[in-house]
Amino acid sequence: MSEAVTTSFDPIMATYSRFPVTIIKGKGSYVWDEDGDRYLDYTSGIATCNLGHVPDTVQAALHEQIDELWHCSNLFHIPKQIELATLLTQNSFADQVFFCNSGAEANEAAIKLARRFTHMTKNKNTGDIVTFTQSFHGRTLATLTATAQEKIQEGFAPLVPGFRYLPFNSMEALDAITAENTNAVLLELVQGEGGVIPADEKWVEALYQICQAEGILFMVDEIQTGLGRTGMLFAYQHYGIEPDIMTLAKGLGSGFPIGAVLAKGHISQAFSPGAHGSTFGGNPLASAAGVATIKTLLKSRVIEKGAENGHYLKTKLKALQQKYPDDIHEVRGKGLLFGLVTEQKASDIVYLALKRHVLILTAGPHVVRILPPLTTTKEEIDHFITILDSVFESL
Ligand SMILES: *Cc1c(COP(=O)(O)O)cnc(C)c1O
């Protein structure tokens, strides 16, 4: 870990290895660097700009709000926050919402809510929160403990007690979950950072049945999968289940920072006044961005069109896999969240695409992650495939 010591005077701590590009402007599927060069952005700010960059509706809502009121403490009623919570509950399983500023904070709040609910209903803290291998739940101490990846935890011990890990998508592992040793499970229905790995339907069903039967809270982390990314408003809607608690962030504000915990009413009541809080969570600007984002997603078939684009892109990626079977081992994902398992280092592919002015990401050493905005077009997808083809051609 000591090689991280830097001798230059970069004023920013070295927590990111950055691409050699400086982005200063964005619109729709494109961003521009400081020289005015244009890039097709199929990262969407890591599943955040699901409506593309600077979408008109959210831009207008923010302009309107910026002239009225920027911030107001959560000790007062905030109309936009109520409107956003109403939109979220009307379009999901949930009855109530808590707002915060990021994904990690949302998971942190979900973990607190699960523990407090268990304390109140069972009069003690029975059992662990179970999470799964390759998961990613955030960088705070509790959420990096929930994240079952050594590289994320390295150097941060002692971790938070009360977490246990099981192998993702493993039927046999489910036997280890009982009412006595587990108070909640937390999972991504498509693991994002961990390699774009969708949860098997049968496995989710079995896990859900156990949780129902044993009175264990079923919590889904939809920070990356939510807000239309997988072809439905929320990924759980693909699986015919209803979680008890769900966390959101990334796509909720189209780039304005906001996170949320959604829960069923009998659970959310465990958060009484003073139990949890946030200075900025759901402030007027963040809530205005959230309201405009959800309203836009729900109208003009944005999510359906995103799903259609996903099908189209998947067909093209599969064709590319047939053309380069030694280089592309698998095409996986849901909606517009794709992983390409590659023979080469994923970062090499990403850099070759960057040179051709197309932005994509990695999700582990051999998975290229592709996250177009839902609003991308067939022409943009065709262009993207042409570029990706030339990348694999050049190897
Ligand atoms: C990004 C992400 C987080 C963490 O969100 P931050 O806003 O970076 O704290 C947690 N869970 C999942 C699934 C994510 O993709």
Side-chain angles (χ1 to χ4, degrees), residues 5 45 63 233 236 256 266 337 358:
V5 172
H63 274 161
L233 185 56
Y236 79 82
F256 202 100
H266 68 287
L337 171 51
V358 165

Side-chain angles (χ1 to χ4, degrees), residues 171 174 200-211:
M171 279 290 189
L174 298 183
D200 296 338
E201 272 171 38
K202 289 246 159 359
W203 181 74
V204 171
E205 232 166 73
L207 175 61
Y208 185 67
Q209 294 300 330
I210 291 170
C211 289

Side-chain angles (χ1 to χ4, degrees), residues 86-291:
T86 306
L87 279 168
L88 287 169
T89 54
Q90 280 174 350
N91 290 286
S92 74
F93 69 92
D95 300 305
Q96 287 193 301
V97 186
F98 174 84
F99 289 108
C100 52
N101 311 291
S102 69
E105 268 184 80
N107 282 335
E108 188 85 25
I111 291 161
K112 282 181 70 177
L113 181 60
R115 283 191 175 180
R116 196 167 160 97
F117 175 74
T118 311
H119 271 280
M120 287 174 61
T121 52
K122 298 183 180 167
N123 249 339
K124 60 180 173 133
N125 189 11
T126 47
D128 299 321
I129 291 174
V130 165
T131 65
F132 298 91
T133 46
Q134 303 108 225
S135 55
F136 183 81
H137 298 298
R139 302 285 194 160
T140 64
L141 269 177
T143 59
L144 76 83
T145 306
T147 295
Q149 294 191 55
E150 266 170 37
K151 69 167 196 258
I152 305 274
Q153 300 177 344
E154 190 188 332
F156 298 118
L159 301 183
V160 176
F163 290 87
R164 192 153 45 89
Y165 314 127
L166 290 177
F168 189 65
N169 275 340
S170 160
M171 279 290 189
E172 301 84 73
L174 298 183
D175 295 339
I177 300 176
T178 67
E180 288 67 43
N181 68 17
T182 307
N183 71 45
V185 300
L186 172 64
L187 72 153
E188 301 158 83
L189 291 165
V190 182
Q191 292 188 322
E193 307 297 312
V196 191
I197 309 168
D200 296 338
E201 272 171 38
K202 289 246 159 359
W203 181 74
V204 171
E205 232 166 73
L207 175 61
Y208 185 67
Q209 294 300 330
I210 291 170
C211 289
Q212 296 272 89
E214 303 281 307
I216 295 164
L217 296 176
F218 192 93
M219 309 200 288
V220 292
D221 175 344
E222 293 233 25
I223 289 160
Q224 189 151 162
T225 54
L227 288 315
R229 176 54 54 188
T230 68
M232 300 279 249
L233 185 56
F234 304 114
Y236 79 82
Q237 294 165 329
H238 291 288
Y239 286 87
I241 56 156
E242 269 200 354
D244 297 303
I245 298 174
M246 170 169 76
T247 52
L248 300 176
K250 291 194 165 85
L252 185 53
S254 293
F256 202 100
I258 181 168
V261 182
L262 284 71
K264 290 184 175 167
H266 68 287
I267 298 160
S268 56
Q269 279 169 28
F271 270 176
S272 48
H276 195 53
S278 166
T279 297
F280 292 123
N283 92 351
L285 279 172
S287 294
V291 166

Side-chain angles (χ1 to χ4, degrees), residues 13 17 36 126 155 180 189 209 222 249 274 316 323 349 390 394:
M13 291 196 194
S17 42
T126 47
E180 288 67 43
L189 291 165
Q209 294 300 330
E222 293 233 25
K316 298 260 161 179
K323 188 167 174 190
I349 310 289
S390 92
S394 75

